Amino acid sequence: MNWKNLLCEKRRRSYSTTSVSTDTRNEFQRDYHRIIGSASFRRLQDKTQVFPLDRGDFVRTRLTHSLEVSSFAKSLGQMIFRNILQYGKDKDLSYEDIDKICSVLECAGLIHDIGNPPFGHFGEDYVRDWFRKNLNKLEFGGKKIDELLTPQMLNDFYHFEGNAQALRLLTKLHFLVDENGMNLTYTLLNTIIKYPVSSTEINKKSGNIKDKKMGYYYADKDIFEDIVNSTGAVDCRHPLAFILEAADDIAYKTADIEDAVKKGFVSYGQLLYDLKKEYIAKCADNEECEEYCKAVKKLEDYYSQANEKGISSPEQNAVQRWIIYVQGVLLRCAAFGFTSNYKEIMEGSFPKELLAVSHGNALAFALGDIASRYVFQSKDIFKLEIAAGEIYEFLLNKLTKAAMVYDTDLESSAIEQRIMKIVSENYIRAYKTYSKGKQENEKLYLRLMLVTDFVCGMTDGYAQKLYRELSGIE
């Protein structure tokens, strides 16, 4: 791969900018303004990151998380590619290319979660589980649905993924001018495709992270292939996808700890105890151990300083300062992971996450494991997720039954007809555009996609409101 192709400025719908001679923005900076001005981006403010249905004003939403990822990704781009240029690791790279790369990464951070359904990652899990439990029980025209759809169509629902939904939203569902979505550059779209495989190609045992999940649906295969062929990142990740992933990991691993301490899921004392006792053995070598121990010592130092200054809540102050420190450490580690494996990344053969091959690996693992044990496995979170599950169960049942018979000769009930009237006009328009001339089984598949499209477009608040309205709850 080379940066001339990787920084492809192609869009699905071309347009001329010659009439705006005073506009000095590069194509990727134009993408930025398309994103922040979009309703799809604004909806992230009412989608939770970790705490479903939480109405506190401190914890992260998808919007604040995306802003953090955007900032980290851009910073990583500057750190990494200035190093590559300074040490002559790629003679074809220029300062102009670095500006473009940083613009791409800044935009990618904003949209990397834009396809995720409401109620955090639990929402993705529930959609998958619902289809695995129910799709083989549903019939259409006297035949079982799992006999009508192809394996890839079925697996798109069984392995439903917010990453694949993001590509779909950005290229088809976000109606602005026409059916081309936001019409973003192919480089930006390729950067958010973390897993460049279909739902039938997932292989979690391959040893290559790109095969862990799916990155595109059967419905979007043509646009996916056009993107990767245009950038040259065929059968591998785009190099910038590694940087985006690292920025995402750093943002959520550190934020989850800060939010957990603020909401009382874990105390300063418990955090320090676990960091000291549980994870030293995870260090792969002396340098990784040294980085880890230095970080733990910093947490103690910040607590002592807060006490000396008479701060009313020294524990929270120490953790908040420490999180900022840890973010800096992990950013440097991720940058090292990329620059030290640059050749393999550009060849498309690098199989791991950047932090996993850096001295920050043990520290990153510890943060994720502590958040998992004290937050994700807590009774309070389980209660919130059960409530969210009730909403999903109700909506998916109602919407799927109505969508299956929509736009067919089969009789639909008065309720089913009314349910389809509340589905977003944008998604209905996309269905009608892309179902023209298709075979009946593919139309059925697209109608089921219409359900997931509508659900994923909901905010937490709207999903809860719709559930209450349709179920007759005051």
Side-chain angles (χ1 to χ4, degrees), residues 323-339:
I323 288 299
I324 295 170
Y325 166 81
V326 169
Q327 287 169 348
V329 170
L330 295 181
L331 285 170
R332 291 193 298 273
C333 288
F336 171 81
F338 192 96
T339 55

Side-chain angles (χ1 to χ4, degrees), residues 24 49 76 105 107 159 192 199 202 220 261 313 340 384 392 405:
T24 59
Q49 177 67 10
L76 274 173
L105 289 168
C107 291
H159 298 283
I192 68 165
S199 59
I202 297 170
D220 309 315
V261 171
S313 180
S340 60
L384 291 170
Y392 268 110
V405 294

Side-chain angles (χ1 to χ4, degrees), residues 29-277:
Q29 289 167 335
R30 292 189 178 94
D31 282 342
Y32 182 89
H33 292 282
R34 289 169 184 243
I35 294 165
I36 62 171
S38 71
S40 300
F41 179 66
R42 289 195 297 275
R43 288 191 190 99
L44 294 175
Q45 66 188 309
D46 190 25
K47 288 191 176 185
T48 49
Q49 177 67 10
V50 174
F51 300 94
L53 301 175
D54 188 276
R55 287 293 173 260
D57 60 0
F58 175 83
V59 297
R60 269 80 173 180
T61 65
R62 287 283 183 193
L63 180 62
T64 52
H65 168 70
S66 297
L67 292 170
E68 289 173 338
V69 175
S70 175
S71 175
F72 290 157
K74 183 177 182 180
S75 296
L76 274 173
Q78 292 169 337
M79 294 166 65
I80 288 168
F81 290 98
R82 285 176 181 172
N83 176 280
I84 288 171
L85 198 63
Q86 180 180 353
Y87 291 100
K89 295 182 179 180
D90 192 330
K91 295 180 180 179
D92 294 327
L93 194 69
S94 68
Y95 279 108
E96 183 181 359
D97 292 331
I98 295 178
D99 286 341
K100 291 179 178 179
I101 286 169
C102 290
S103 293
V104 171
L105 289 168
E106 184 176 30
C107 291
L110 295 178
I111 60 174
H112 79 286
D113 273 348
I114 205 166
N116 284 52
F119 310 127
H121 286 294
F122 170 79
E124 288 179 284
D125 293 336
Y126 203 95
V127 172
R128 293 184 202 113
D129 290 344
W130 191 91
F131 280 109
R132 287 170 182 166
K133 182 177 68 175
N134 291 286
L135 209 54
N136 64 344
K137 300 176 184 177
L138 299 174
E139 292 187 358
F140 177 77
K143 292 185 178 181
K144 292 285 186 69
I145 282 187
D146 60 355
E147 296 174 358
L148 294 171
L149 302 185
T150 67
Q152 186 174 350
M153 292 176 186
L154 289 169
N155 277 290
D156 283 356
F157 298 106
Y158 297 155
H159 298 283
F160 169 81
E161 179 61 42
N163 289 286
Q165 188 67 28
L167 178 65
R168 180 166 174 77
L169 170 66
L170 295 168
T171 57
K172 292 181 178 178
L173 303 180
H174 180 92
F175 189 88
L176 185 62
V177 176
D178 54 25
E179 67 277 5
N180 293 307
M182 286 192 197
N183 199 37
L184 301 174
T185 55
Y186 278 13
T187 293
L188 175 54
L189 294 172
N190 206 169
T191 298
I192 68 165
I193 301 174
K194 293 170 63 176
Y195 310 104
V197 296
S198 71
S199 59
T200 55
E201 297 170 318
I202 297 170
N203 183 0
K204 295 182 180 181
K205 297 180 180 180
S206 72
N208 194 321
I209 190 141
K210 76 176 182 66
D211 303 324
K212 183 179 176 182
K213 301 177 182 178
M214 71 168 169
Y216 65 95
Y217 299 122
Y218 169 79
D220 309 315
K221 180 181 178 182
D222 290 346
I223 180 62
F224 167 79
E225 291 180 346
D226 194 18
I227 289 168
V228 299
N229 286 325
S230 297
T231 63
V234 180
D235 296 326
C236 64
R237 277 183 168 183
H238 190 290
L240 299 186
F242 289 99
I243 299 175
L244 175 63
E245 177 181 56
D248 187 22
D249 288 348
I250 294 168
Y252 81 76
K253 285 178 185 293
T254 55
D256 287 354
I257 295 297
E258 184 179 11
D259 288 354
V261 171
K262 182 70 175 180
K263 289 188 69 67
F265 281 82
V266 60
S267 66
Y268 163 83
Q270 190 64 57
L271 174 63
L272 182 62
Y273 176 84
D274 281 14
L275 287 170
K276 282 186 170 183
K277 300 295 183 182

Side-chain angles (χ1 to χ4, degrees), residues 397-436:
N397 270 317
K398 294 288 187 183
L399 289 166
T400 301
K401 290 177 182 177
M404 283 172 54
V405 294
Y406 173 73
D407 192 36
T408 71
D409 295 330
L410 296 178
E411 184 178 354
S412 60
S413 70
I415 290 296
E416 289 167 345
Q417 292 172 29
R418 284 162 175 75
I419 286 174
M420 293 308 297
K421 291 292 185 182
I422 67 174
V423 175
S424 169
E425 183 183 342
N426 285 359
Y427 305 146
I428 294 291
R429 182 188 291 111
Y431 162 75
K432 290 184 175 179
T433 297
Y434 292 103
S435 64
K436 286 180 181 177

Side-chain angles (χ1 to χ4, degrees), residues 313-328:
S313 180
E315 296 89 352
Q316 288 192 9
N317 178 266
V319 171
Q320 287 178 298
R321 287 187 65 191
W322 185 68
I323 288 299
I324 295 170
Y325 166 81
V326 169
Q327 287 169 348

